Amino acid sequence: MSDDGLSRERLIWMFTQMVRVREFEERVKGTFEEHPGVIRGHTHLADGAEASIVGSIAVLRPDDQLLTTYRCHGYPIVLGTDPKALMAEIYGRETGICKGYGGSMHLTDVGRGFLGTSGIVGQGIPHAAGAAWAAQIRGQGQVVLSFFGDGAAKQGAFHETLNIASLWKLPIVFVMENNSYNVYTKVEQEDANAAAGEPLAVKAQAYSMPGTTVDGGDPVAVYEQMHAAVERARSGEGPTLVESRVYRLSAHGNIIAPPGVPLHFPEHEAITIFGNAEEYEAAKRGDPVPRFRARLVTDGTFSAEEADAIADAAQKEIQEAVEFALASSFRAPERATDYVYA
């Protein structure tokens, strides 16, 4: 058992999941160059948020539930969704987890407690409260996590939901993954005129619930904060707002190009909008995946060779997911209205 209370096996599990999520996101990004036209529409990556995702999910029981925003590929991977079915969904194939109807921004795996995502900023927050109310009624100690970005803190749904969740002491934890940018706008610019409150976790005070800010690049720190918040919710004491500070390492999303021009991912906004390559390079040096790897090698949790073997296995697993998805069929056009009507 390590000083932080996590077993060696659990720490290795956390690193393994972080590597799997990163490899998945890298292969999705690579699809735009290697297989032009395979992914249609918008795609948003969460590279840089792996520690926040894994540290949060590590505290859950199998019967707990969560909802997320549209930057959503990593969560079902950690929950146990088959990466082959997940990649097939992003590619729009009938073998996908939503049979190809959802795509990148609309993923669901209810059997694993992954209740869904949305392309609308903040939409999933009240839905998560509804799931938490149902859990409260069932009385079996389930907890719901609601993940969203810092931009959602300016939506009415955020404020209304935190208010009712506090009043009813719902078993929910609100996880604001502050990734430093709202599309092309830096959070620092908004603090002065649109997102009053620094850190953003201070917003919890208005709704009489605890608010805390954590380094989202450290999965153990995230685990510790989330463990306290989840136990509070599970014991009937009500919700917590956790601001997990991460740095999105890819651009906000892919470019939607005109006909004949392949979709692609541009460079990060720190470079293309603000001309600040130094900021971006500093963020890359703080990349949570190699950072956690170095920590575990240094403290003797595993050897460098064992870490490399985990990375190699993840690469092989996700490459197989790509091949499976590419080999899968699209749904027939006449099936387009399946599942539209009850």
Side-chain angles (χ1 to χ4, degrees):
M1 188 75 71
S2 63
D3 292 339
D4 48 48
L6 290 165
S7 67
R8 174 179 181 272
E9 292 73 19
R10 195 59 169 164
L11 290 169
I12 292 174
W13 178 87
M14 292 171 78
F15 175 74
T16 300
Q17 301 312 312
M18 288 173 63
V19 171
R20 294 175 72 232
V21 173
R22 172 61 60 84
E23 184 63 29
F24 190 92
E25 297 288 54
E26 289 294 328
R27 296 301 291 127
V28 170
K29 184 191 290 187
T31 298
F32 287 95
E33 294 184 359
E34 298 164 16
H35 307 287
V38 166
I39 298 178
R40 316 290 178 88
H42 285 292
T43 304
H44 304 83
L45 306 180
D47 46 345
E50 294 88 354
S52 180
I53 294 169
V54 172
S56 298
I57 292 177
V59 308
L60 298 182
R61 298 188 330 201
D63 61 337
D64 290 332
Q65 299 171 323
L66 62 90
L67 292 92
T68 77
T69 182
Y70 51 79
R71 203 173 297 280
C72 53
H73 306 156
Y75 306 90
I77 290 174
V78 180
L79 289 169
T81 297
D82 183 356
K84 292 181 179 178
L86 188 60
M87 192 69 79
E89 184 61 36
I90 294 170
Y91 286 12
R93 309 304 170 99
E94 62 180 351
T95 54
I97 56 173
C98 298
K99 303 184 187 300
Y101 289 103
S104 173
M105 292 196 291
H106 304 98
L107 306 176
T108 305
D109 192 349
V110 175
R112 297 188 184 276
F114 189 60
L115 300 187
T117 65
S118 174
I120 300 175
V121 174
Q123 183 193 26
I125 302 175
H127 293 175
W133 189 25
Q136 185 182 67
I137 292 170
R138 285 193 295 270
Q140 298 172 354
Q142 292 168 294
V143 169
V144 177
L145 303 188
S146 174
F147 290 90
F148 49 89
D150 48 281
K154 298 187 290 294
Q155 298 289 335
F158 168 85
H159 297 279
E160 294 165 5
T161 304
L162 264 65
N163 185 58
I164 198 70
S166 180
L167 286 172
W168 291 356
K169 293 189 179 300
L170 296 181
I172 186 171
V173 179
F174 299 102
V175 188
M176 178 197 299
E177 292 185 319
N178 183 347
N179 65 21
S180 304
Y181 282 82
N182 286 333
V183 190
Y184 305 126
T185 305
K186 296 180 69 169
V187 169
E188 289 82 357
Q189 292 176 295
E190 296 199 336
D191 286 341
N193 53 53
E198 174 63 28
L200 293 178
V202 75
K203 295 178 183 292
Q205 295 178 16
Y207 307 106
S208 303
M209 69 175 69
T212 183
T213 298
V214 64
D215 175 6
D218 181 346
V220 175
V222 173
Y223 174 87
E224 291 171 348
Q225 293 282 3
M226 289 296 295
H227 184 270
V230 166
E231 288 307 304
R232 181 176 189 272
R234 211 181 295 284
S235 66
E237 296 180 50
T240 300
L241 172 63
V242 177
E243 178 192 8
S244 181
R245 291 199 164 185
V246 302
Y247 192 97
R248 169 170 53 75
L249 294 175
S250 287
H252 170 73
N254 60 297
I255 294 292
I256 299 297
V261 178
L263 302 176
H264 66 281
F265 267 86
E267 288 188 289
H268 193 278
E269 291 78 25
I271 300 171
T272 60
I273 305 298
F274 295 94
N276 192 345
E278 291 181 3
E279 175 193 296
Y280 183 70
E281 290 304 318
K284 290 283 286 184
R285 289 193 294 273
D287 187 329
V289 177
R291 176 176 152 193
F292 194 45
R293 178 189 190 278
R295 172 178 174 177
L296 297 185
V297 170
T298 299
D299 69 16
T301 298
F302 52 35
S303 67
E305 292 75 18
E306 289 171 317
D308 289 343
I310 290 171
D312 290 344
Q315 187 175 36
K316 181 176 183 292
E317 177 189 25
I318 305 307
Q319 178 58 33
E320 291 175 352
V322 170
E323 293 170 0
F324 172 82
L326 288 172
S328 297
S329 301
F330 293 102
R331 296 190 73 80
E334 57 268 23
R335 304 287 302 278
T337 57
D338 285 4
Y339 310 107
V340 174
Y341 304 99

